[in-house]
Amino acid sequence: MTHTIRLNVNGKEHTVEVPSRRLLIDCLRYDLGLTGTKEGCSVGVCGACTVLMDGKPISSCLALALFADGKEIVTVEGLAREDRLDRVQQAFIDYGGFQCGICTPGMVVTAKALLDENPDPTVDEIKEWMMGNLCRCTGYYKIIESIQGATALEPGGE
Amino acid sequence: MRAFEYREPDNLEEVLSLLHDHGEDAKIIAGGTALVIMLNQRLIMPSYLISLRKLAGLNSVDSADGALQLGALVTHREMETSPVIRDQIPVLAETFRQVATLRIRNMATVGGTLAHADPSQDSPVTLMALDARVGLSSSGGSREVPLDEFFTDYYETVLQPDELLTHVQVPLPKPHTGSIYLKFLPKTEDDYATVGVAASVEIEPSSQLCRECRIVLGGVAPTPLRVKEAEALLSGQKLAPELLHKAASVVQEHTDPISDSRGAADYKREMAGVCVRRALEQAWQRALTESP
């Protein structure tokens, strides 16, 4: 049984035919070809699959694609504008906020939502917000430095 | 995940009518943070999934008649950040803040966490210590059930196949009452509790004696565990270490934990005693500071 859903992904409207059991992460990766979002644990723990739904971080591995009907989704592909990276992306490069890179799309998207809500977070606020995004290279100090560094940059890409 | 029919009614009557027709073969989905995993792992294989995501009217926090009325679709994040809840029942906001991660709290709902009935969850424990009641509706009518009569076993409640949990009613704490939720987490902060304890203590302000208290635990029994025998020990008494030890050992006798990745059964029973003592002491201190 399939359903037609309409969703806005990174500012672009899409109409997609999905089976009821389609997960949002599979809809993004396979139906829309947006493979920036990664699947890690498949049970909502690791944060690799984080996307924003109406501005709020969620696990796309725990959401049915049908949940996105009528919603605005932002993935890592939606942060940069033309040649200009979002300040969070730029800061992750400047401060060495990634090693193997598999957690990075989820980290960057989660951090972007933090700065949208709280433009000047303390280190404790960063730690609490980012707590559910795991980095198996254990590069947490650099990730925190990157997010702090991003606050000093122009909120680009908007 | 097996295929299922997906329905997404925008009004309560239609939800209840679908439950009436298909309740035995249907599951309700709200935030989906627990149910999608169970579907994905084929722990459940319903023929119908009835989504509440387009249902209006069950997502507000209202204050009336000395109680807070929580719609079943209020999210954990809304419970954590709601100014009304932070102001009127701060322990509720504190409890919801300790659940999993921000991503889960953005999706998971108040009604979902109760209907899911996993005994290791945090918020059912605090809600029970606050004497919360749940509202259940079916096409045949509505009823209210005190939360301490709602859970029956691991993942089991008194909810009938044709019933929907629509709201939760939480009475505002009486004056001179202190409440706390204490979550014991030996591993990571986003984990389920090894042991969770909610304690609520109402004191008589001039004598500082305990008038009434509630002691509820999570993670140590097939359901959230309220221990009335330990509560009875405290009424009319003054805060003292021997009293807390006595209450803790009564609580330990009532626990029935299982050994799992969050700890061996004996360890959980031991920590239940430690956590009950700490929670009661902190709740009592809060009650004293509530009393000028």
Side-chain angles (χ1 to χ4, degrees):
Chain A
M1 168 126 194
T2 63
H3 298 256
T4 304
I5 56 169
R6 287 179 188 81
L7 64 167
N8 181 306
V9 183
N10 301 328
K12 200 174 154 198
E13 297 291 337
H14 294 272
T15 302
V16 193
E17 191 85 7
V18 290
S20 50
R21 58 183 165 173
R22 195 74 152 157
L23 292 172
L24 179 57
I25 183 158
D26 295 330
C27 176
L28 293 170
R29 288 178 58 88
Y30 301 120
D31 296 330
L32 300 179
L34 295 170
T35 54
T37 304
K38 308 301 180 195
E39 183 163 17
C41 68
S42 312
V43 288
V45 170
C46 77
C49 73
T50 307
V51 300
L52 307 185
M53 183 183 276
D54 289 347
K56 296 185 180 119
I58 65 158
S59 292
S60 61
C61 74
L62 292 188
L64 297 176
L66 293 164
F67 288 6
D69 187 28
K71 303 280 189 187
E72 286 186 11
I73 305 294
V74 172
T75 70
V76 69
E77 289 94 339
L79 299 191
R81 288 288 175 274
E82 294 166 4
D83 289 342
R84 191 167 176 207
L85 295 177
D86 182 85
R87 60 177 165 165
V88 177
Q89 293 172 306
Q90 189 59 53
F92 268 66
I93 294 170
D94 296 347
Y95 291 84
F98 52 92
Q99 295 175 50
C100 84
I102 192 82
C103 72
T104 307
M107 289 284 179
V108 167
V109 165
T110 306
K112 150 105 176 128
L114 169 62
L115 299 189
D116 286 347
E117 189 172 309
N118 179 358
D120 193 20
T122 64
V123 170
D124 283 345
E125 285 169 340
I126 293 173
K127 286 182 181 173
E128 185 178 351
W129 187 275
M130 301 299 296
M131 186 252 283
N133 286 74
L134 306 184
C135 167
R136 296 321 307 265
C137 307
T138 69
Y140 293 108
Y141 283 93
K142 292 285 190 189
I143 289 167
I144 293 166
E145 282 170 27
S146 301
I147 297 169
Q148 283 181 294
T151 62
L153 301 175
E154 290 284 306
E158 297 292 327
Chain B
M1 203 184 303
R2 291 276 172 84
F4 47 80
E5 295 269 336
Y6 185 80
R7 299 291 161 80
E8 203 170 44
D10 61 6
N11 65 84
L12 187 60
E13 290 66 34
E14 203 181 330
V15 173
L16 298 181
S17 142
L18 282 167
L19 277 176
H20 176 266
D21 294 344
H22 306 293
E24 296 281 356
D25 305 315
K27 283 285 177 192
I28 293 281
I29 191 162
T33 52
L35 204 76
V36 169
I37 295 176
M38 296 175 92
L39 288 166
N40 219 0
Q41 299 183 344
R42 298 194 178 185
L43 294 169
I44 52 170
M45 289 176 276
S47 309
Y48 290 84
L49 206 57
I50 304 169
S51 168
L52 306 183
R53 298 190 65 83
K54 297 215 166 138
L55 181 62
L58 292 184
N59 44 15
S60 64
V61 174
D62 300 302
S63 179
D65 303 329
L68 288 186
Q69 170 117 336
L70 315 170
L73 296 179
V74 174
T75 65
H76 283 48
R77 181 67 173 163
E78 286 161 350
M79 291 295 297
E80 173 191 355
T81 55
S82 154
V84 179
I85 292 171
R86 284 185 170 182
D87 178 56
Q88 305 209 22
I89 316 185
V91 69
L92 259 190
E94 289 168 18
T95 304
F96 278 90
R97 182 184 183 174
Q98 293 178 66
V99 176
T101 64
L102 176 69
R103 294 188 309 279
I104 302 299
R105 297 199 296 276
N106 277 333
M107 298 285 274
T109 62
V110 171
T113 191
L114 295 173
H116 183 48
D118 177 337
S120 296
Q121 293 183 119
D122 307 298
S123 49
V125 175
T126 298
L127 285 166
M128 200 188 279
L130 294 170
D131 290 334
R133 302 168 70 82
V134 290
L136 313 180
S137 289
S138 70
S139 50
S142 299
R143 60 177 176 144
E144 276 211 355
V145 179
L147 201 54
D148 64 0
E149 295 168 16
F150 178 71
F151 301 103
T152 55
D153 206 341
Y154 287 104
Y155 304 97
E156 298 283 349
T157 70
V158 301
L159 268 170
Q160 296 301 303
D162 65 343
E163 276 182 317
L164 179 75
L165 195 163
T166 54
H167 64 271
V168 184
Q169 188 126 27
V170 192
L172 297 183
K174 293 181 193 155
H176 315 298
T177 299
S179 304
I180 192 149
Y181 176 68
L182 211 149
K183 183 172 185 176
F184 177 57
L185 278 166
K187 297 204 288 183
T188 57
E189 267 194 64
D190 59 344
D191 202 1
Y192 284 95
T194 291
V195 177
V197 179
S200 180
V201 176
E202 183 197 357
I203 60 165
E204 212 289 302
S206 54
S207 64
Q208 302 194 347
L209 300 180
C210 170
R211 197 178 265 160
E212 215 185 347
C213 79
R214 292 282 180 276
I215 304 170
V216 186
L217 291 91
V220 293
T223 67
L225 178 70
R226 179 175 169 197
V227 189
K228 291 183 182 173
E229 291 79 357
E231 294 172 2
L233 277 181
L234 269 73
S235 7
Q237 303 295 312
K238 198 162 196 143
L239 176 64
E242 314 81 66
L243 179 67
L244 298 186
H245 271 94
K246 217 186 283 177
S249 68
V250 170
V251 166
Q252 284 175 320
E253 285 165 24
H254 284 79
T255 60
D256 181 21
I258 53 168
S259 296
D260 61 16
S261 63
R262 293 182 183 86
D266 286 348
Y267 176 61
K268 290 183 183 178
R269 188 174 291 115
E270 188 62 33
M271 289 313 298
V274 173
C275 294
V276 162
R277 291 204 305 272
R278 288 180 188 164
L280 283 172
E281 180 157 18
Q282 289 175 38
W284 213 308
Q285 292 300 344
R286 282 188 175 186
L288 290 170
T289 45
E290 287 280 302
S291 319

